[in-house]
Amino acid sequence: MTIIVTGGAGFIGSNFIYFELKNHLEDRVVCLDKLTYAGNLSTLEEALKNPNFAFYKVDICDRAAVYEIFEKERPDAVVNFAAESHVDRSIEDPEIFLRTNILGTQVMMDASLKYGVKRYHQVSTDEVYGDLPLDRPDLFFTEETPIHTSSPYSASKASADLLVGAYQRTFGLPATISRCSNNYGPYHFPEKLIPLMIANALSDKPLPVYGKGENVRDWLYVEDHCSAIDLILRRGTVGEIYNVGGHNEMRNIDIVKLICRKLGKPESLITFVTDRKGHDMRYAIDPAKINRELGWLPKTKFADGLEKTIEWYLTHREWWETIISGEYRNYYEKMYGGREEL
Ligand code: NAD
Ligand code: TDX
């Protein structure tokens, strides 16, 4: 089959493209990506050599351009990763989040209906459920947990999820949704916690931890997320939502200390800075449904995944050094220059 993957020049989308090209030699993968600050064509260098892969630089909000690609490629399936994905940026300037994450999703679904796509998959996030209190470790997000968002980013992702549900029920779009916890691994953009801390520690720069660093995230190695989406796409039930996570909760401060230890850097690099506005306390996914219905289980333990990730950043310095030496430097100064040391 032919699968359209949007946002494939970003972190998870690129990992998914490599996963599909490796595990489904019979399939053709077509990537649509606008190449925003977060998209990097060099990430797809190897894929571009594969005759089963094609790339189009396009904004998913550009209806005419998207329809033209569907007309030409006649996809069987669509996986929509394309999004503005960074919470801090959504707090600075929400508008592009609403445009890409909501209206872009609508265009992709309209195109899927118009061209008779057999399966549409929406890549969503655990952030749509809001957060959990630190003193209730017995609570987890299930697919029935009500949507209760905190940031413009999570609100835009939740809006898209509601639209997907509406398109499925009203227009019969054969859609599924996955809501995953925090990913980490190769090609993770260095504005996010783990790659930012690795890159800063390697350059002996301060490690900016928001607030007290007590917030908890549930970390999943990116390849495990890709295997979950692959299963849902091929065997999931239309109309269903699947939570994806690996029961791997960690406090931010513990992750940062672990990175210092692994890189042989002093903890004195850690700097506590002004907290994120509306900062979610804890995310924790209950992945029982995808395990029960599709037999999915994560394969990578956090200790191994972090080891592999650090190794990747050590051996791919050019990839992230190019990013942090470019336009990203202005973002960093704007975002962290204004944060007070606590
Ligand atoms: P990313 O920011 O690394 O990549 C996003 C990609 O989308 C980039 O290549 C960018 O160029 C592209 N893009 C942005 N706007 C576009 C537009 N208008 N048209 C076409 N392409 C556009 O993001 P990521 O971390 O890989 O996340 C991918 C998806 O997974 C997102 O939908 C995100 O909400 C979701 N998600 C991410 C995580 C995580 O931990 N990173 C966890 C759960 C869900
Ligand atoms: O410099 C930092 N210091 C810090 O303490 C950064 C960048 C982050 N943090 C904290 C904030 C969060 O508690 O670390 C935690 C993780 O932050 P991010 O890497 O920005 O991820 P998060 O906000 O949890 O959102 C991520 O997971 C869910 C992705 O970016 C989203 O796209 C996904 O939906």
Side-chain angles (χ1 to χ4, degrees):
M1 66 176 173
T2 294
I3 309 168
I4 281 194
V5 175
T6 70
F11 167 43
I12 310 175
S14 60
N15 277 281
F16 182 73
I17 286 171
Y18 285 117
F19 184 95
E20 292 299 296
L21 291 175
K22 186 172 144 203
N23 293 294
H24 298 285
L25 299 178
E26 69 289 3
D27 290 342
R28 177 173 158 76
V29 179
V30 176
C31 174
L32 274 58
D33 198 296
K34 185 182 172 186
L35 298 181
T36 67
Y37 79 93
N40 198 335
L41 203 49
S42 76
T43 300
L44 293 173
E45 204 178 305
E46 282 308 307
L48 287 162
K49 295 178 193 155
N50 189 319
N52 285 341
F53 177 74
F55 178 84
Y56 293 90
K57 181 177 184 315
V58 67
D59 183 341
I60 57 163
C61 301
D62 184 343
R63 187 175 287 275
V66 167
Y67 283 9
E68 211 174 293
I69 297 167
F70 274 65
E71 179 79 42
K72 182 163 170 234
E73 296 288 350
R74 297 286 164 169
D76 302 285
V78 170
V79 183
N80 187 28
F81 288 94
E84 289 293 335
S85 69
H86 191 34
V87 173
D88 290 326
R89 287 183 191 255
S90 83
I91 295 166
E92 287 293 300
D93 188 3
E95 188 159 338
I96 186 70
F97 285 75
L98 273 55
R99 195 176 125 76
T100 292
N101 300 1
I102 306 172
L103 297 178
T105 296
Q106 185 206 5
V107 170
M108 292 310 299
M109 292 195 296
D110 283 340
S112 299
L113 281 172
K114 182 170 161 73
Y115 291 94
V117 159
K118 294 191 236 13
R119 203 44 97 85
Y120 176 93
H121 182 71
Q122 178 73 7
V123 181
S124 185
T125 169
D126 59 358
E127 297 198 20
V128 303
Y129 299 122
D131 63 354
L132 297 164
L134 291 181
D135 61 357
R136 289 294 307 271
D138 56 313
L139 295 181
F140 296 93
F141 297 138
T142 72
E143 289 79 1
E144 277 72 48
T145 302
I147 282 183
H148 184 80
T149 56
S150 313
S151 70
Y153 162 70
S154 56
S156 69
K157 293 295 290 184
S159 307
D161 284 9
L162 293 175
L163 262 184
V164 174
Y167 267 60
Q168 195 262 317
R169 177 162 170 163
T170 306
F171 304 124
L173 180 74
T176 46
I177 297 175
S178 56
R179 293 177 176 155
C180 189
S181 58
N182 284 57
N183 285 212
Y184 68 101
Y187 301 115
H188 204 179
F189 195 85
E191 67 187 348
K192 307 283 173 64
L193 181 77
I194 289 183
L196 184 142
M197 296 300 167
I198 296 174
N200 281 18
L202 286 173
S203 320
D204 297 305
K205 280 175 57 179
L207 307 177
V209 172
Y210 299 164
K212 294 186 183 145
E214 285 170 344
N215 307 66
V216 169
R217 296 292 181 266
D218 180 0
W219 294 93
L220 185 73
Y221 193 61
V222 62
E223 203 179 331
D224 284 323
H225 186 189
C226 295
S227 74
I229 294 174
D230 181 64
L231 267 181
I232 297 168
L233 187 66
R234 291 161 199 277
R235 304 221 323 263
T237 306
V238 164
E240 291 296 316
I241 294 168
Y242 297 91
N243 282 356
V244 183
H247 281 304
N248 183 63
E249 292 178 50
M250 303 269 295
R251 294 192 313 162
N252 294 339
I253 185 66
D254 296 331
I255 297 224
V256 178
K257 284 184 178 168
L258 195 55
I259 291 172
C260 286
R261 212 157 46 244
K262 296 251 176 224
L263 292 174
K265 299 289 179 182
E267 286 184 9
S268 56
L269 286 176
I270 296 173
T271 318
F272 294 95
V273 298
T274 315
D275 209 351
R276 173 183 280 173
K277 287 182 189 144
H279 199 172
D280 282 336
M281 280 321 297
R282 169 176 170 249
Y283 302 146
I285 280 278
D286 175 356
K289 177 175 171 179
I290 188 168
N291 174 247
R292 192 176 58 243
E293 294 187 8
L294 302 178
W296 177 85
L297 273 177
K299 287 202 178 110
T300 306
K301 292 199 182 74
F302 187 72
D304 300 336
L306 189 65
E307 197 78 53
K308 279 201 269 185
T309 304
I310 289 178
E311 183 58 26
W312 190 88
Y313 280 85
L314 284 170
T315 51
H316 292 75
R317 284 190 91 115
E318 205 191 320
W319 183 86
W320 57 268
E321 279 178 349
T322 310
I323 291 171
I324 60 179
S325 65
E327 192 220 323
Y328 175 71
R329 197 188 297 171
N330 298 332
Y331 160 83
Y332 194 89
E333 271 153 26
K334 187 171 162 222
M335 197 61 89
Y336 292 90
R339 282 185 196 272
E340 262 178 65
E341 219 176 289
L342 300 175

